[in-house]
Amino acid sequence: MITLKSPREIEAMDKAGDVLAKIHEHLRDFIKPGITGMAIEKYVEELMEKYGATAEQKGFEGYEYSTCVSVNDEICHGFPREDVLKQGDLIKVDMVVNLNGALADSCWSYSVGEPTPELKKLMDVTKEALYKGIEAAKLGNRIGDIGHAIQTYVEAEGFAVVREFIGHGIGPTLHEAPSVPHYGQAGKGSRLKEGLVITIEPMVNTGTWRSKMDSNGWTARTKDGGLSCQYEHTIAITKDGPKILTKQEGE
């Protein structure tokens, strides 16, 4: 069942989104060659405590960490590890913040050190795909309009959109209806109504869109070993257009 949020609920989720955005802003300077995924995990936990928030995904269906730290060909749900990050690595840090019961979800991609031209293009295209999806998330449009906007742009740039992992409704629980694919047909799917809060989170690969699962049962990676990039925002559908609840400073 799709639930619509009241203005009060959206305001609370916006405050949670502000906390999440601040954490990602801190990570811009923190992520550099020589640190580890586990160091990112501990740093995020310290920041959440500082801002009075908790990690909603920790303990979700048995997941043990406050963050997902996915590296290079890992698409999503990578475990934070003690492996040292090196120049040129592509890191995706995904987290869900709970602030006084209100949730916000955002993943951001980071280059460890200066990116190569190829990596920069992948990151630029993925971020632009996110905003094209958000632009299509207008009152009265349909879920399919979001995926169509993302897919047509990404494929025109020579990349592929992951099919197996998609966006979703959020609040008061982590994953709610509706599902929000990042591919599909315009004019199809549920109508976007005022008060709907969803995540848009395209995962874009350099090669095939197909994935395979690691033995840990959580981490998905590209089937061909190509790089995968992701950017995600939580947005609310309003009469004035889509409102980004996890917007960062400088966006």
Side-chain angles (χ1 to χ4, degrees):
M1 185 177 71
I2 297 175
T3 62
L4 302 178
K5 311 301 184 291
S6 67
R8 179 182 57 80
E9 289 172 312
I10 291 173
E11 182 181 1
M13 295 178 79
D14 198 13
K15 290 177 181 177
D18 287 344
V19 169
L20 204 165
K22 287 176 184 175
I23 293 173
H24 275 305
E25 289 162 19
H26 283 296
L27 288 176
R28 296 174 190 173
D29 295 325
F30 185 78
I31 294 175
K32 60 187 66 175
I35 70 163
T36 66
M38 188 55 71
I40 294 172
E41 164 83 0
K42 292 175 180 176
Y43 184 56
V44 167
E45 288 188 327
E46 290 171 3
L47 289 170
M48 284 194 187
E49 184 176 2
K50 173 184 174 182
Y51 292 122
T54 57
E56 183 69 12
Q57 67 204 53
K58 192 171 188 177
F60 177 75
E61 296 184 353
Y63 190 77
E64 298 180 6
Y65 306 99
S66 298
T67 62
C68 297
V69 182
S70 305
V71 183
N72 293 331
D73 67 326
E74 294 174 341
I75 296 170
C76 59
H77 306 151
F79 290 2
R81 302 183 294 273
E82 295 291 356
D83 299 349
V84 174
L85 302 177
K86 61 185 184 301
Q87 170 73 34
D89 281 340
L90 171 60
I91 311 302
K92 290 81 68 176
V93 183
D94 190 3
M95 69 191 88
V96 183
V97 159
N98 183 324
L99 183 69
N100 303 318
L103 304 185
D105 186 359
S106 178
C107 177
W108 217 248
S109 289
Y110 302 88
S111 170
V112 180
E114 284 298 313
T116 63
E118 293 79 12
L119 176 54
K120 187 175 187 308
K121 180 182 178 183
L122 174 64
M123 295 176 74
D124 288 347
V125 167
T126 307
K127 185 184 287 186
E128 181 64 19
L130 167 64
Y131 289 110
K132 286 189 179 297
I134 292 172
E135 186 179 343
K138 296 175 182 176
L139 188 65
N141 275 5
R142 294 184 180 272
I143 290 289
D145 295 315
I146 298 172
H148 180 75
I150 291 170
Q151 182 183 12
T152 53
Y153 170 70
V154 167
E155 292 180 353
E157 294 292 332
F159 297 116
V161 177
V162 171
R163 308 288 203 274
E164 299 96 330
F165 301 94
I166 58 179
H168 51 86
I170 183 170
T173 58
L174 184 52
H175 285 164
E176 299 195 346
S179 297
V180 185
H182 305 113
Y183 59 94
Q185 291 181 285
K188 300 290 186 180
S190 301
R191 186 81 67 183
L192 301 176
K193 297 180 179 180
E194 186 175 2
L196 179 65
V197 180
I198 58 174
T199 70
I200 300 177
E201 47 184 297
M203 288 150 265
V204 175
N205 298 348
T206 55
T208 180
W209 58 263
R210 299 183 185 278
S211 67
K212 58 184 178 181
M213 190 66 66
D214 280 2
S215 59
N216 63 26
W218 280 96
T219 306
R221 63 179 71 235
T222 59
K223 197 164 187 178
D224 60 2
L227 292 176
S228 185
C229 187
Q230 182 186 12
Y231 289 94
E232 173 189 15
H233 273 314
T234 298
I235 70 160
I237 307 300
T238 79
K239 64 180 184 297
D240 299 317
K243 178 179 176 61
I244 300 174
L245 305 183
T246 48
K247 188 173 183 178
Q248 297 176 33
E249 190 72 33
E251 277 193 78

